[in-house]
Amino acid sequence: EILIGLVGSEMCIRDSADAILRIGYTWLGDMDDAKDICQTVFLRLLEKPREFQSPEHERAWIIRTAVNVCKDQLKSSWRRTTVDLSAASDARAPEAEEGSLWAAVALLPPKYRTVIYLYYYEGYSANEIAQMLGEKPATVATRLSRGRDKLRIQLEQEALT
C-alpha cells in the first residue's frame, strides 16, 4: 500500500512488475533472479521518488532501470564465480590420501586451511577471498604466508620421518 501511494495505481504497479519480471527472466534466465530485479527496481523508485511527466515516461524509466539492473547483475563477480547448486551436486570434496599435499593442508588450523584452499584449489585472489570472508586483504595475505610456512614445516617433518 505504501508503494501504491508513492508510485501510482495498483494496476500500474502490477503491470510494471510483470514487465520487470519478463525483462529480468529474459536477461538472466532465472525467475528468482528476475524477482530480485523487480524488488531492486521498486526499491530504487522508493529511495528516490521521481516526478514523471506521464505514465509512458514512468514506464520507460522502469524498463530502462530494469535493463540496467540486469546488466549490473550479469557483470557482478558473484554471478561469474558461482554456479547453480544443482550443477555442483556431482562435485565431490577432495579425498585426503595418506601423505598427500591435501592431507597436509587438511591438518592446518581452519583459518589457514580455508585461505590456502580458496587460493590454490579454487583459484580465488587474495582480494576475492577477503571479500568472501569479510576480512581485510592484508589479513588474508598474512594467513596465506603463515599457512604456507606451517605447511612447509609440516611437510619437512614428514619427510624426516
Side-chain angles (χ1 to χ4, degrees):
E1 290 180 21
I2 294 171
L3 184 61
I4 293 169
L6 292 172
V7 178
S9 71
E10 186 175 347
M11 186 60 81
C12 173
I13 293 172
R14 194 173 295 125
D15 291 343
S16 297
D18 288 343
I20 296 167
L21 284 172
R22 285 193 301 272
I23 290 167
Y25 186 78
T26 300
W27 275 81
L28 304 173
D30 183 74
M31 188 52 76
D32 291 327
D33 288 341
K35 289 176 183 176
D36 289 343
I37 298 300
C38 190
Q39 287 179 343
T40 302
V41 170
F42 283 125
L43 278 174
R44 286 189 183 177
L45 189 57
L46 283 172
E47 289 172 347
K48 275 188 167 177
R50 292 158 175 81
E51 292 290 326
F52 297 104
Q53 299 166 356
S54 65
E56 292 80 24
H57 181 234
E58 179 181 17
R59 185 166 174 77
W61 181 90
I62 288 172
I63 289 171
R64 184 75 252 160
T65 302
V67 169
N68 288 339
V69 172
C70 288
K71 286 179 180 179
D72 291 346
Q73 179 79 12
L74 289 171
K75 288 187 294 188
S76 75
S77 64
W78 172 259
R79 188 166 183 92
R80 284 180 284 146
T81 57
T82 58
V83 295
D84 186 49
L85 192 55
S86 63
S89 65
D90 295 332
R92 300 189 64 167
E95 296 291 326
E97 297 174 14
E98 184 70 30
S100 72
L101 181 59
W102 175 245
V105 170
L107 294 175
L108 291 173
K111 66 182 182 180
Y112 301 123
R113 179 180 18 174
T114 302
V115 294
I116 294 233
Y117 174 78
L118 291 172
Y119 188 82
Y120 289 104
Y121 287 86
E122 296 296 329
Y124 290 107
S125 70
N127 287 335
E128 291 171 326
I129 296 169
Q131 279 184 322
M132 284 187 263
L133 300 178
E135 300 285 350
K136 294 178 183 174
T139 302
V140 171
T142 300
R143 287 181 183 172
L144 278 169
S145 177
R146 289 178 182 168
R148 284 189 290 257
D149 290 343
K150 288 183 177 293
L151 192 58
R152 185 180 359 49
I153 291 168
Q154 185 177 325
L155 291 172
E156 287 172 353
Q157 287 176 348
E158 281 183 19
L160 294 175
T161 58

